[in-house]
Amino acid sequence: MNFKKSIPYLFASLSILTISSCKKDNEKALLLQPQTTESLKNNGKDSLTVNDTLLLHPKLANTKNAIYSWTVNGARTGSDSVYTFKAVNKGDFKISFKAATAGGEITVDYQIHVWDKYENGFYILNEGWFGHGTGTVSFYRYNTNKMEDSIFVKENPAKDLNPVSSTLQSGVVFKNKFYLVSKVGGPMVVTNEYNMKELARIPSQGGNDWRSFVGINETKGLLSSGKGVFPVDLNTLAIGRTIDGIGGQVGDMIKQGGYIFVLSSTDGIVILNAADNKVVKKIPGVSVGFTRTIDGNIWAAGGTKLFKINASLDVESITVPFTVFGSWGAWHPGSITASTKENAVFIAKNESFSGGTKLYKYIPGNDASLQAPFLMLPTGKILYGAGLSYNAKLDQLLVNTVQSGFGENFSVNNLYFYDPITAAIKKTVSYSGYYFPSVIVSHQ
C-alpha cells in the first residue's frame, strides 16, 4: 500500500468527519432551549426613583442565534440582550425579557416600583437661622440613607419663603398636597406631596403669623395663627373670618371623626364641630398637643398631666413625673407622638422652650411605664423644635437634636433612629449647618 498517496485521503476523511461532527454539534446547539445561569436578585423585584435608570441583563446559556425582546407593561421596548429602564413616571412596572431559538424560548420577568422624586423618605422642616435667611425643607431618602438639603428652592427656583425674618414652622400632608406653614409674616405654601412643585400660596404679608394647618375635606381647612383660627378655602386659598370662641395664640390642630381639636394659649384645648366650626367643648390646662394612638384616642399634655380624649370627648388625665412646658414664647409643634404599631404615646420632657434630654413612653393602663424615662439622649445632645416623630414605615422613633450650648453648637445636628420598644439607637445621621429643625413630616 502506498502510504504517501493514502495520507491526503485520510485527511480528507477526517475533515469530512470533523465537519459532519461540527455540523451536528451546531444543529444540536440550535435545538437547545435557552436557560438562565443565575437566579435574579430578590426574585427580580427592585425599586428606583423617577429619573433614575436601571440596567437589566439576565445571564443566559444556549443563546446561539437567539432573538431577544423586551416589553414594559406589555409594550415592546427593546430587542437586545440588555435593556436600560428609564424611570420616567412613578408606579409599578412589569418588565418582561424573552430569548427565543429554534430549540425553544425562555421568559424572565422583573417587577419594578418607581418612587416619585420625594416619596421614598421623609421631610424635615427647618426654621432657618432667624434674620439670616428663611426656613428650608430637607429630605431624608431611605435607599441612600442621606439628607438632601433645600429641596423646595431646588424644585421651585423662581420661588422663595421670604421674608428672611419668617420661620418655616410646620407642615401637614393632606390629600396628596403638602402645606408648608410659616410664622412672622411668611407665606403658607401648597406643594405636591411627592415632587415638591409649588401649586399655590397665601402670600407673605406683615401681620401674618401662621402656625399650623388642618384639612377638613376636599374644599375646607383651617389655619391657626398667633391671633386665632381662620377657615381657608382649599380651592382658592381665600381666608375667612376668625372663628369665634378661641382666644390667644393658637398652635397645633388635629381632626378626629367629626371634631377638630385646637390648642390655644389661653383656653387649652378647644374642640370644634368640623361641620360648622362651632365650639363644642374646652379642656383647660393643656399646653402641648396633639397625637393619636391606634385605638383612636387623642392625646395632649400640660402641667403634670397627660390627657386622653375618647370618641365621646370624655377626658382622662394621667400624672406624669415632670412638668410639661409649652412653647408659646417661640412656638413650635408639640413634642408628642404615638406609635402606629402598639398602643403607646411618646412625650419629651422639655425645658421652658425646648432643649429636653429625656423622652417618656406611656402605655395606656400601665402607669408604671412613666416611672422612668424611656430614653435619654446621648451626652451633650438636646432636642430642638418638636424634636420627635414616630415613623410608621420604619417603625422607629425619629429624634432631632442640636449640641447643648449656644452659638456654633446650633450648627451641630444629629438625627437619631430609635427602636420604639428597646430604645436602642438603630442609626445616626450627623450633618452641619444652622438649620434649626422644627418638625419631621412623613408620608401618611
Side-chain angles (χ1 to χ4, degrees):
M1 182 177 182
N2 190 331
F3 285 103
K4 290 183 178 180
K5 291 182 179 181
S6 300
I7 288 173
Y9 295 106
L10 178 60
F11 280 120
S13 298
L14 289 173
S15 297
I16 292 170
L17 288 172
T18 301
I19 291 170
S20 176
S21 176
C22 290
K23 183 177 180 181
K24 288 180 180 178
D25 288 343
N26 288 338
E27 290 175 348
K28 183 178 179 181
L30 289 172
L31 293 176
L32 290 176
Q33 181 177 354
Q35 294 179 336
T36 55
T37 59
E38 62 180 42
S39 300
L40 295 180
K41 182 180 179 181
N42 198 28
N43 294 319
K45 295 180 180 179
D46 207 342
S47 65
L48 67 163
T49 303
V50 164
N51 297 328
D52 287 347
T53 59
L54 181 66
L55 180 66
L56 302 175
H57 184 196
K59 307 300 182 184
L60 302 176
N62 306 330
T63 58
K64 187 175 181 63
N65 294 340
I67 297 173
Y68 304 111
S69 68
W70 292 87
T71 61
V72 178
N73 288 349
R76 182 158 181 168
T77 55
S79 58
D80 202 349
S81 60
V82 299
Y83 178 68
T84 300
F85 175 66
K86 171 75 171 180
V88 177
N89 299 305
K90 63 176 290 189
D92 293 305
F93 298 85
K94 180 181 179 181
I95 303 176
S96 295
F97 167 77
K98 182 183 289 186
T101 67
E105 63 182 39
I106 188 171
T107 299
V108 178
D109 291 327
Y110 299 86
Q111 298 289 339
I112 309 297
H113 180 77
V114 177
W115 303 101
D116 213 335
K117 197 164 186 180
Y118 301 108
E119 185 176 5
N120 192 29
F122 56 84
Y123 298 104
I124 299 180
L125 272 60
N126 307 295
E127 293 179 355
W129 190 2
F130 183 76
H132 292 75
T134 67
T136 61
V137 183
S138 301
F139 186 75
Y140 177 85
R141 198 173 296 278
Y142 294 131
N143 59 320
T144 63
N145 297 317
K146 292 181 179 179
M147 197 82 72
E148 300 171 21
D149 186 28
S150 301
I151 62 171
F152 173 78
V153 295
K154 288 176 182 176
E155 298 302 328
N156 304 278
K159 305 287 187 178
D160 58 52
L161 299 175
N162 285 336
V164 295
S165 61
S166 67
T167 58
L168 180 59
Q169 211 64 62
S170 68
V172 175
V173 170
F174 181 67
K175 295 191 179 299
N176 298 327
K177 294 180 180 179
F178 194 13
Y179 293 81
L180 308 178
V181 184
S182 295
K183 292 195 313 184
V184 199
M188 194 276 280
V189 176
V190 186
T191 75
N192 179 283
E193 177 184 357
Y194 298 114
N195 63 29
M196 282 300 294
K197 298 294 185 183
E198 182 173 325
L199 303 173
R201 70 167 55 202
I202 296 172
S204 303
Q205 181 178 319
N208 283 2
D209 193 19
W210 307 123
R211 301 295 176 82
S212 188
F213 167 85
V214 64
I216 298 175
N217 56 35
E218 286 77 5
T219 62
K220 296 195 306 180
L222 299 178
L223 264 175
S224 66
S225 77
K227 51 186 177 183
V229 179
F230 297 81
V232 55
D233 185 313
L234 300 189
N235 291 325
T236 65
L237 294 191
I239 300 295
R241 188 175 64 84
T242 311
I243 293 174
D244 293 331
I246 306 174
Q249 302 181 56
V250 182
D252 290 288
M253 301 183 291
I254 192 172
K255 182 177 184 292
Q256 175 68 358
Y259 301 106
I260 306 292
F261 295 76
V262 173
L263 191 62
S264 158
S265 62
T266 58
D267 299 331
I269 296 175
V270 181
I271 303 175
L272 304 176
N273 186 316
D276 57 14
N277 295 333
K278 299 294 185 183
V279 175
V280 176
K281 186 172 185 175
K282 294 186 178 183
I283 305 170
V286 183
S287 55
V288 169
F290 291 103
T291 193
R292 175 176 26 236
T293 44
I294 57 176
D295 57 10
N297 291 315
I298 297 297
W299 296 79
T304 57
K305 300 293 184 181
L306 189 61
F307 297 93
K308 180 181 79 172
I309 306 124
N310 66 18
S312 300
L313 305 186
D314 298 324
V315 181
E316 177 185 345
S317 62
I318 301 97
T319 300
V320 296
F322 58 92
T323 298
V324 177
F325 289 106
S327 57
W328 298 116
W331 185 84
H332 61 72
S335 301
I336 186 170
T337 190
S339 172
T340 62
K341 298 292 176 66
E342 64 170 333
N343 209 37
V345 178
F346 300 90
I347 184 169
K349 179 188 176 183
N350 275 334
E351 301 302 322
S352 58
F353 163 65
S354 191
T357 60
K358 299 176 181 179
L359 272 63
Y360 284 76
K361 177 180 179 180
Y362 176 62
I363 300 172
N366 181 6
D367 291 350
S369 61
L370 284 170
Q371 289 181 356
F374 173 66
L375 65 86
M376 296 186 64
L377 297 180
T379 302
K381 306 301 180 183
I382 59 172
L383 294 175
Y384 191 88
L388 69 158
S389 175
Y390 174 82
N391 183 287
K393 182 177 177 67
L394 300 175
D395 185 23
Q396 290 177 355
L397 187 64
L398 310 180
V399 177
N400 269 123
T401 71
V402 293
Q403 193 90 336
S404 178
F406 298 95
E408 293 183 359
N409 290 291
F410 285 111
S411 70
V412 181
N413 303 276
N414 283 284
L415 174 63
Y416 295 100
F417 297 69
Y418 282 96
D419 187 302
I421 303 297
T422 67
I425 296 176
K426 311 297 288 185
K427 186 188 305 179
T428 303
V429 177
S430 301
Y431 56 104
S432 299
Y434 293 96
Y435 293 94
F436 299 92
S438 180
V439 66
I440 296 170
V441 182
S442 300
H443 296 291
Q444 298 175 345

